[in-house]
Amino acid sequence: MGREEDAGTVGELSQTGVSKVTTQARDEIKIGGLGASRKRVEDNRFIRGKGNYVDDIVLPGMLHMEILRSPLAHARIVSIDTSKAWAIPGVRLVLTGEMMATRNLAWMPTLSYDTQAVLATDKVRFQGQEVACVIADDPYIAKDACEAIVVEYEALPVIVNPTQAMAEGAPLIRDDKENQQDNVIFDWEVGDRDGTERAFAQADLVSTLELHYPRSHPSPMECCGSIADFNRSTSKLTVYMTTQAPHIIRAAVALVAELPEHMIRIVSPDLGGGFGNKVPVYPGYVMSILASILLERPVKWIEDKTGNLISTGFARDIYLRGEMALRKDGKILGVRMHTDSDHGAFFSDAQPSKFKIGLMHSAFSCYDIPSAHLTARGVYTNKAPGGVAYRCSFRVTEAMFFQERMVQAAADDLGLDQAEFRRRNFVRDDDFPHRTPFGFLTDSGQYGKCLDVGLQAIGYEDFLKQKEEAKQRGRLLGIGISTMTEPLGAGNSREYDILGIKMFDSAELRVHMTGKAILRTGAKTQGQGHETTWAQIVAHELGIPAEDVVVEEGDTDTAPFGMGTYASRSTPVAGAAVAMVSRKVRAKARKLAAHLLEVSEEDIEWELGRFYVRSAPDNGVTIQDCAFAAYSNMPDGMEPGLENVAYYDPPNLTWPFACYIATVEVDPQTGVWDVLRVVAVDDCGVRINPMVVEGQIMGGLTEAYAMASMQFITFDAQGNCIGSNYMDYLLPTAWETPGYELHEVVTPCPHHPIGAKGIGECATVGGPAAFVNAVLDAIKDSGVRNIDMPLLPDRVYEALTQRHDVSGAPPVKMDDQ
Ligand code: MCN
Ligand code: CUM
């Protein structure tokens, strides 16, 4: 790739005119610093089957918990008879909502200021809801005992979409809430209503679009689970659990269960993927904790795949419609958007408190649009609680999908070329900082350049010709473009908090005597490779080889407080803290160096891994020498040791940019479409580890392809979840997954200490529109404006042959009552 060689200059620091030989500066790539495609250290244990997941942990005397779930989507609970379950040998405890209620734990608060049932008391409100649980000597006994519990239900009418939820006389789902008269959770708006009206009044043309982003599920390979271990003699509660945000969980347990915070230890060991699924607090965690407190034994709960798919945090499930005010020359004057979002039975979205529909209003941020207005309505339905972000910084995926579908529709309505229309409306490189139409501040980017790199790579003009030729022979080729900037890395703490806890992050670095080090952060890797990449930041800042730095995350007893890993916030926030703590350590090392070199601190220069005397460059000490001195030879009055902690509150979000282009061929006989090529151009600022970044992009594109082509969870009219297993909920395998051609543009983030922006979610966010736009482009002559995802062959075939749009989530469509 040539990258290793080029980047070798990073360590040379030749501006001072001192030659490389005399300064002995280390080659940054060789020590695994910034820009090195270092192999992931965590893979050493993962590929040997030596990972340590929650289910691998076995504690002495451990019991096992299984959950009984509701078969009905909406029903009153008439009675629960647990006597047969109690009678089974090996059963230690059977918990019901009634018992939870005696401890005030039948309901728990959600991350969006609602309440959620831990175990149902009055009604069940979705299929798969937790009704009872059994703790037994082994998981098989617990499962058998669950089946022995007899629950009598009285079925109630079921609501499975927003139209039904808002209909006159609709059954009230949340009759447990005092002031809840209907199924509406919120009506929310953001933007400039009047300014947008004026923009529409001036428009030459108004383009409209309506679409549905189907319900999907992050579906990590490892399901959720926990082992709660309460020790009465020490009063300490230790919980090993699948969480992306251990410190938030500790705070929640302290506040909800009213246990003292220092007596709670949350440990998130290796995670088999998170993708947003492991941000919320689930009833299973709470029940295992209560059971361990009651039984004074460790209690393990491991969810099965169906449990994970039908009851834990869903994503998307939102209807979007909007209009774009356009001038004849292709200038976008304004945008109006409305969303109807389906949150299921409890409003448990994991999102910053201030925003009801996440960062939906980050839509259109890469375009220079004078004004925009968004209205949003959220409703309860008889479905599992939804609204978790699935690889998306709080609804950004829906926002960018709508944006790029709308942009394509508008370009078509204007009769303008897709690429040209985007280029005309992009925020220009010299126009930063830029206030987006909904009020965010973007700070950097080269949008036009990214698009050009993408068009060049795909051979845009050639493809358009090829497409025309193919058409003559009855073949349908299409090209889809998706360009977007997305807000990654909440917070800054002025604007972003979760339940009042400000969003910042942290890192703690301890350099041992021999110059080896341990780094801990408040983030929690789930597969993103933090153990590899954080060490690279330390290597860059201190010149300590990355392999000499061990990275540890996820244990609240040892890691500094942080808000965890989601919204691709780790690099923007925790990663920045890693750079900052390294600089603090370097500042102390400089004092030690001055002491060792017997000069004053002002006479000391730094180059990668080494301090030297300005006037005598050969006279120097390494960072390792300084570390040793910190324990063996510190100057009078200096505190011993070489360690520090940094809390980092970023001044702004980071704004990576991406351009994804897909070409497809649609078979008019069957509606089957094949991906011909996918080109991805990502600008995530400075890349810490290019290989890890590319892995993130490829994984994200695969999820995007899944959403566009095959993946969704839907419900029949009775609220039965269709998509409760991997026969129905499809994951693309290596067989279906297209190949990707990756390109990069680097616009450093102006406020991040090493210029990095987030990348973890970009391709999942921006990818789907490229595929969908490509298929719609291929069948453009049919006059079809929209096919809702997933673009299953039968839907494409229906659109193509009937020449109409295909909308909604089958089998129950939006207008089916
Ligand atoms: N990175 C880099 N250079 C950059 C930006 C990032 O080298 N300029 C590296 C980072 O050091 C890190 C990785 O890329 O190792 C991702 O960094 P970042 O974009 O900061 O994202 P996070 O670490 O915060 O990860 C969260 C993001 C989210 S929110 C979801 S959801 C998701 C994703 O990451 N879930 C994942 N990618 C995933 N990948 C795996 N394997 N498993 C998941 O559960
Ligand atoms: Cu947005 S899913 Mo991730 O933020 O864990």
Side-chain angles (χ1 to χ4, degrees):
M1 289 180 162
R3 226 185 242 123
E4 325 271 317
E5 291 76 34
D6 306 344
T9 52
V10 176
E12 280 177 33
L13 297 178
S14 53
Q15 298 96 318
T16 53
V18 187
S19 85
K20 195 181 175 192
V21 182
T22 50
T23 67
Q24 298 165 15
R26 293 179 183 176
D27 182 334
E28 174 149 3
I29 296 303
K30 284 202 185 121
I31 63 163
L34 219 55
S37 280
R38 187 178 177 228
K39 283 192 183 146
R40 300 193 345 153
V41 293
E42 42 270 84
D43 289 346
N44 239 326
R45 59 178 191 280
F46 292 154
I47 60 177
R48 286 168 216 252
K50 296 286 184 193
N52 186 34
Y53 301 92
V54 170
D55 201 18
D56 292 321
I57 298 171
V58 176
L59 299 178
M62 189 169 78
L63 300 171
H64 299 265
M65 182 180 105
E66 288 287 332
I67 296 173
L68 176 69
R69 299 180 180 282
S70 168
L72 300 178
H74 200 192
R76 198 158 297 288
I77 296 179
V78 180
S79 64
I80 304 181
D81 179 358
T82 58
S83 55
K84 286 206 183 82
W86 277 107
I88 295 176
V91 169
R92 304 286 172 153
L93 182 67
V94 184
L95 282 175
T96 61
E98 210 173 294
M99 291 162 74
M100 298 295 279
T102 63
R103 300 186 168 256
N104 210 12
L105 283 174
W107 292 83
M108 62 178 182
T110 69
L111 295 175
S112 277
Y113 294 97
D114 193 9
T115 49
Q116 173 172 356
V118 177
L119 283 177
T121 46
D122 50 342
K123 290 202 302 192
V124 288
R125 292 174 172 82
F126 68 89
Q127 184 187 54
Q129 190 180 336
E130 299 80 359
V131 175
C133 76
V134 175
I135 293 92
D137 288 348
D138 73 42
Y140 308 101
I141 298 175
K143 192 115 207 154
D144 287 346
C146 279
E147 280 165 21
I149 297 171
V150 183
V151 187
E152 196 188 326
Y153 296 101
E154 181 193 309
L156 295 168
V158 172
I159 290 174
V160 294
N161 63 38
T163 310
Q164 293 176 347
M166 291 183 286
E168 191 86 22
L172 185 62
I173 296 172
R174 295 301 299 276
D175 49 355
D176 57 294
K177 295 180 77 175
E178 235 169 64
N179 297 317
Q180 189 75 37
Q181 314 287 358
D182 53 23
N183 294 315
V184 175
I185 306 171
F186 60 80
D187 274 301
W188 192 73
E189 66 176 307
V190 60
D192 174 3
R193 183 188 286 268
D194 297 340
T196 309
E197 291 268 286
R198 285 195 295 277
F200 275 83
Q202 288 160 14
D204 295 324
L205 182 78
V206 172
S207 192
T208 60
L209 183 68
E210 260 190 80
L211 58 84
H212 176 236
Y213 203 129
R215 185 170 265 240
S216 66
H217 197 281
S219 153
M221 290 310 284
E222 180 204 29
C223 301
C224 296
S226 54
I227 305 172
D229 182 14
F230 180 68
N231 184 332
R232 174 85 52 207
S233 64
T234 59
S235 299
K236 183 124 185 177
L237 171 70
T238 304
V239 190
Y240 303 90
M241 62 188 285
T242 50
T243 178
Q244 300 176 215
H247 284 95
I248 304 188
I249 298 283
R250 185 181 66 183
V253 175
L255 299 172
V256 176
E258 292 180 10
L259 291 171
E261 197 175 355
H262 65 304
M263 287 294 157
I264 306 164
R265 177 180 172 212
I266 307 295
V267 183
S268 188
D270 284 333
L271 295 182
F275 304 104
N277 188 231
K278 292 168 180 167
V279 176
V281 181
Y282 295 120
Y285 301 149
V286 180
M287 290 183 269
S288 68
I289 291 172
L290 179 65
S292 179
I293 292 173
L294 292 175
L295 295 166
E296 296 185 28
R297 302 247 315 247
V299 174
K300 179 189 267 189
W301 163 62
I302 298 292
E303 190 178 59
D304 61 19
K305 192 47 89 181
T306 294
N308 183 261
L309 280 169
I310 68 174
S311 76
T312 60
F314 289 84
R316 335 288 192 229
D317 207 345
I318 187 166
Y319 294 81
L320 302 109
R321 61 171 195 271
E323 323 169 78
M324 196 175 247
L326 298 157
R327 212 164 60 194
K328 274 199 297 283
D329 63 358
K331 167 82 186 145
I332 306 171
L333 300 174
V335 174
R336 262 201 287 259
M337 267 175 88
H338 176 77
T339 65
D340 286 307
S341 47
D342 180 337
H343 299 260
F346 310 105
F347 183 33
S348 67
D349 291 30
Q351 61 193 0
S353 302
K354 226 165 113 172
F355 308 109
K356 292 288 180 209
I357 194 74
L359 303 185
M360 181 67 72
H361 55 305
S362 62
F364 300 99
S365 287
C366 68
Y367 299 107
D368 183 13
I369 300 177
S371 60
H373 186 243
L374 163 75
T375 52
R377 166 170 287 194
V379 298
Y380 290 120
T381 61
N382 291 117
K383 290 147 91 170
V388 316
Y390 156 23
R391 212 159 181 183
C392 112
S393 182
F394 316 117
R395 301 266 182 196
V396 166
T397 307
E398 294 96 308
M400 298 313 157
F401 181 70
F402 184 79
Q403 165 193 307
E404 285 308 295
R405 292 282 301 107
M406 180 85 246
V407 162
Q408 161 148 335
D412 284 350
D413 289 346
L414 282 164
L416 262 179
D417 172 75
Q418 294 295 328
E420 182 53 28
F421 180 59
R422 285 181 170 80
R423 191 174 309 137
R424 275 188 207 175
N425 287 287
F426 275 155
V427 174
R428 291 191 327 269
D429 299 0
D430 57 4
D431 204 11
F432 292 107
H434 178 84
R435 195 56 76 180
T436 77
F438 286 111
F440 289 94
L441 197 67
T442 54
D443 50 30
S444 56
Q446 303 177 66
Y447 305 164
K449 180 174 174 186
C450 289
L451 177 62
D452 288 343
V453 171
L455 294 175
Q456 174 89 32
I458 202 94
Y460 189 59
E461 298 300 331
D462 278 353
F463 185 83
L464 294 184
K465 279 190 215 118
Q466 211 185 318
K467 183 181 146 183
E468 279 315 304
E469 284 161 23
K471 193 154 58 175
Q472 308 309 319
R473 284 177 279 118
R475 287 176 57 198
L476 301 174
L477 303 192
I479 185 162
I481 304 177
S482 175
T483 49
M484 55 115 214
T485 185
E486 65 163 323
L488 295 183
N492 57 79
S493 68
R494 280 170 284 119
E495 282 182 280
Y496 300 94
D497 70 86
I498 290 185
L499 299 178
I501 308 171
K502 301 286 190 188
M503 299 188 79
F504 54 84
D505 229 281
S506 61
E508 185 193 88
L509 178 62
R510 178 172 305 162
V511 184
H512 310 310
M513 195 181 307
T514 56
K516 318 285 178 192
I518 180 163
L519 176 90
R520 297 188 171 101
T521 85
K524 174 58 205 162
T525 189
Q526 310 132 40
Q528 294 90 343
H530 294 180
E531 287 169 56
T532 306
T533 52
W534 294 165
Q536 294 185 243
I537 299 177
V538 177
H540 171 70
E541 294 291 337
L542 286 176
I544 295 177
E547 61 184 32
D548 289 352
V549 183
V550 64
V551 176
E552 201 185 89
E553 292 181 334
D555 183 338
T556 57
D557 264 10
T558 54
F561 185 93
M563 293 296 275
T565 291
Y566 41 87
S568 302
R569 62 188 299 283
S570 303
T571 300
V573 196
V578 174
M580 297 316 274
V581 76
S582 302
R583 290 175 192 182
K584 285 185 178 180
V585 164
R586 195 168 75 205
K588 181 166 183 187
R590 173 185 290 273
K591 292 190 197 311
L592 286 155
H595 172 65
L596 293 174
L597 293 166
E598 297 177 353
V599 294
S600 82
E601 223 189 302
E602 293 71 58
D603 297 329
I604 296 276
E605 289 287 329
W606 165 256
E607 63 183 1
L608 193 67
R610 182 174 176 268
F611 293 101
Y612 61 91
V613 180
R614 187 175 305 118
S615 55
D618 280 343
N619 193 9
V621 288
T622 63
I623 185 77
Q624 288 80 4
D625 296 333
C626 297
F628 198 73
Y631 297 85
S632 62
N633 176 18
M634 43 301 175
D636 281 349
M638 181 188 276
E639 203 179 324
L642 191 56
E643 62 183 80
N644 221 314
V645 60
Y647 286 84
Y648 190 79
D649 184 1
N652 193 6
L653 299 156
T654 69
W655 295 89
F657 184 83
C659 168
Y660 302 121
I661 305 180
T663 54
V664 301
E665 173 157 13
V666 177
D667 179 356
Q669 310 295 319
T670 60
V672 170
W673 52 282
D674 285 321
V675 178
L676 303 174
R677 286 177 65 200
V678 180
V679 162
V681 185
D682 279 272
D683 180 354
C684 60
V686 173
R687 297 184 176 196
I688 304 162
N689 181 323
M691 185 174 65
V692 166
V693 167
E694 285 173 6
Q696 288 293 311
I697 296 166
M698 290 187 196
L701 285 171
T702 305
E703 287 176 331
Y705 174 66
M707 286 307 305
S709 64
M710 61 178 80
Q711 194 163 85
F712 70 133
I713 287 192
T714 188
F715 296 79
D716 70 12
Q718 283 74 49
N720 293 306
C721 177
I722 299 163
S724 63
N725 58 68
Y726 282 161
M727 298 295 285
D728 295 327
Y729 189 67
L730 303 179
L731 303 185
T733 64
W735 178 258
E736 295 89 8
T737 303
Y740 308 120
E741 301 164 41
L742 307 188
H743 298 265
E744 81 176 307
V745 166
V746 177
T747 316
C749 173
H751 59 76
H752 189 280
I754 56 166
K757 306 180 183 187
I759 186 66
E761 297 158 310
C762 296
T764 312
V765 172
F771 294 109
V772 174
N773 281 346
V775 173
L776 286 164
D777 181 56
I779 64 166
K780 194 159 136 186
D781 290 348
S782 64
V784 172
R785 252 182 117 70
N786 183 50
I787 304 173
D788 274 338
M789 294 192 291
L791 272 62
L792 301 168
D794 63 315
R795 309 185 112 208
V796 176
Y797 184 75
E798 179 185 333
L800 194 53
T801 51
Q802 317 278 314
R803 296 174 166 267
H804 63 206
D805 290 4
V806 179
S807 316
V812 181
K813 298 224 178 115
M814 188 59 169
D815 42 12
D816 290 344
Q817 291 290 319

